[in-house]
Amino acid sequence: ALIAALVIIAPPATAANPTLTVMSRNLYLGADVGVALELIPDMPAAAQFMWDQVQKTDFSQRKKILADQIRSESPDINGIQEATIWYCKKNAWSKKIEVFNFTDQLLQALDGDYVLASKDGKTAFNPGYSINPIPFLTMVKDPERFQKVFGKDKAPCGFQIGDALVIKKELAGQVVKVGNTEYEDSYSIVPTLMTIYRGYTWADINIANIPVRFITTHLESIWDENKVPNAAKQATQLIKDVKETNMPLVIIGDFNSDPRDPRPATAANPGLQPTASKECPAGSSKCNAYRLMKEAGFNDAGPDASDPTTYTWGMNALLTGPDPDRLKAAQAMGNEYGFTDRLDYIFTKNGIDVTTSQIIGFKAPYATDHAGVFAEFSILNTLSGQSAPLDSHKPFPISFWQWVGIALLALIIWRIFRRLTRA
């Protein structure tokens, strides 16, 4: 019954209509950011908490599960979110050293059968939210690892998450264009010090000699009461950005938007999704990225996002099973595996018709805190030709005042530390 609920079937494509397969997968950065944020302004404690969890969620093991899922479905295109790089440095003036690179590790686990889409020196990897290694502030202890690398027990560490398009190796020569774009709306956790930037990466790829545009993105999850969520604002920009794209279009991603949002205060909401307010009444389209995409003419490849068995988030932070605080709520909604919200989607437009779709990764062992989406399509629009490239700009730099703020905060912490050690 579950499998039947997870698969939708349409008439098969004719011989004249080429097919393609697509997967969406959030890799999970490996730690519970929500808990870490609660530890701020004790930055070292937050950093150590995240580092310890990343060790426990061990991507060297998770990558094997992800690789097996990809091999099983054999998608032509993989839209990846939270493609994370964790890095550390010996001291303030040292270069960063990659400790974990989830994308590279996944590609290695796939034995060279998949590569990052790239063309003319551009790679379909768009870095987004990051926390740089900052002496004193993000110092973590890992003697076993750091003694070998730095000759000491502690080192400042940080991470960067991004979006990536991973494609079958045989499609590498069919990539026409690649680009990366940032969203104008960002979210500040600590003003001037910690801002979450999001964006998307895109590639135009010939599928059976038909140019198709693929985009993968990760919209903002954090929202404020009585304000339009950034996920909705970012979806609005995405819709505007692709307005002139006439070629077949596939948008893959973690939209951090459930069709039920914003929800009445009395509605079940164990995942703490946006709730209704004066600015965002219940069911308001302007406050819901999913609804905005649908109203803009995008087709949700499915499976049916209103069906609780298709929810895609989320497991507990250590990936040992359902979050115990949410499991009963999930089961009451109709999802026996502990998923409470549908956040992951594959949207299409301009002559791409879904043949089948299904949710994957909803059973143990868990490789991430998200289930994934897999879909097969037929291309009906074979005469559109190439569309103009999407606008892009450089990733947001850390401003002068951000550096000043970081320096002042580091100086304060250093003085406190000196006083404590002298006492």
Side-chain angles (χ1 to χ4, degrees), residues 131-197:
I131 294 179
N132 282 316
I134 306 172
F136 305 112
L137 291 185
T138 65
M139 189 73 71
V140 299
K141 185 177 182 180
D142 187 351
E144 184 177 352
R145 186 180 307 276
F146 296 155
Q147 280 291 342
K148 296 176 184 177
V149 179
F150 302 124
K152 58 182 185 178
D153 291 350
K154 294 183 177 182
C157 297
F159 67 87
Q160 175 189 84
I161 65 172
D163 306 301
L165 282 170
V166 172
I167 65 175
K168 281 185 174 178
K169 187 177 181 179
E170 54 262 37
L171 288 175
Q174 301 302 313
V175 179
V176 180
K177 293 176 184 176
V178 168
N180 297 294
T181 300
E182 316 304 323
Y183 293 123
E184 295 174 0
D185 289 286
S186 58
Y187 191 94
S188 290
I189 298 173
V190 181
T192 76
L193 290 180
M194 192 182 302
T195 300
I196 302 178
Y197 298 108

Side-chain angles (χ1 to χ4, degrees), residues 169-358:
K169 187 177 181 179
E170 54 262 37
L171 288 175
Q174 301 302 313
V175 179
V176 180
K177 293 176 184 176
V178 168
N180 297 294
T181 300
E182 316 304 323
Y183 293 123
E184 295 174 0
D185 289 286
S186 58
Y187 191 94
S188 290
I189 298 173
V190 181
T192 76
L193 290 180
M194 192 182 302
T195 300
I196 302 178
Y197 298 108
R198 304 285 189 184
Y200 59 85
T201 190
W202 62 273
D204 294 346
I205 303 173
N206 285 325
I207 305 295
N209 295 319
I210 301 168
V212 179
R213 176 161 291 171
F214 298 92
I215 295 172
T216 184
T217 189
H218 186 183
L219 305 188
E220 183 53 54
S221 61
I222 302 175
W223 57 277
D224 289 324
E225 188 74 30
N226 201 35
K227 289 184 179 180
V228 176
N230 268 20
K233 294 178 182 179
Q234 291 164 353
T236 299
Q237 179 184 330
L238 177 58
I239 292 166
K240 181 179 179 181
D241 286 354
V242 300
K243 187 176 181 180
E244 302 303 321
T245 296
N246 297 315
M247 60 200 289
L249 176 62
V250 180
I251 300 182
I252 310 157
D254 175 356
F255 278 72
N256 275 304
S257 178
D258 185 289
R260 296 167 290 174
D261 304 332
R263 304 179 203 189
T266 55
N269 190 11
L272 302 180
Q273 291 297 108
T275 55
S277 64
K278 183 177 180 180
E279 181 65 28
C280 291
S284 168
S285 296
K286 76 171 183 177
C287 298
N288 185 300
Y290 175 83
R291 290 175 179 270
L292 286 169
M293 294 293 289
K294 292 281 287 182
E295 289 183 0
F298 286 89
N299 176 50
D300 174 9
D304 182 1
S306 66
D307 183 345
T309 63
T310 74
Y311 294 165
T312 58
W313 188 79
M315 291 297 98
N316 66 40
L318 296 180
L319 306 180
T320 57
D323 185 323
D325 295 333
R326 299 171 60 199
L327 178 57
K328 288 184 178 180
Q331 291 173 336
M333 291 177 184
N335 188 290
E336 63 178 297
Y337 294 99
F339 294 91
T340 57
D341 300 277
R342 178 67 183 272
L343 305 181
D344 304 84
Y345 306 94
I346 301 174
F347 291 104
T348 64
K349 201 174 186 182
N350 302 337
I352 293 188
D353 190 36
V354 62
T355 305
T356 63
S357 65
Q358 62 179 316

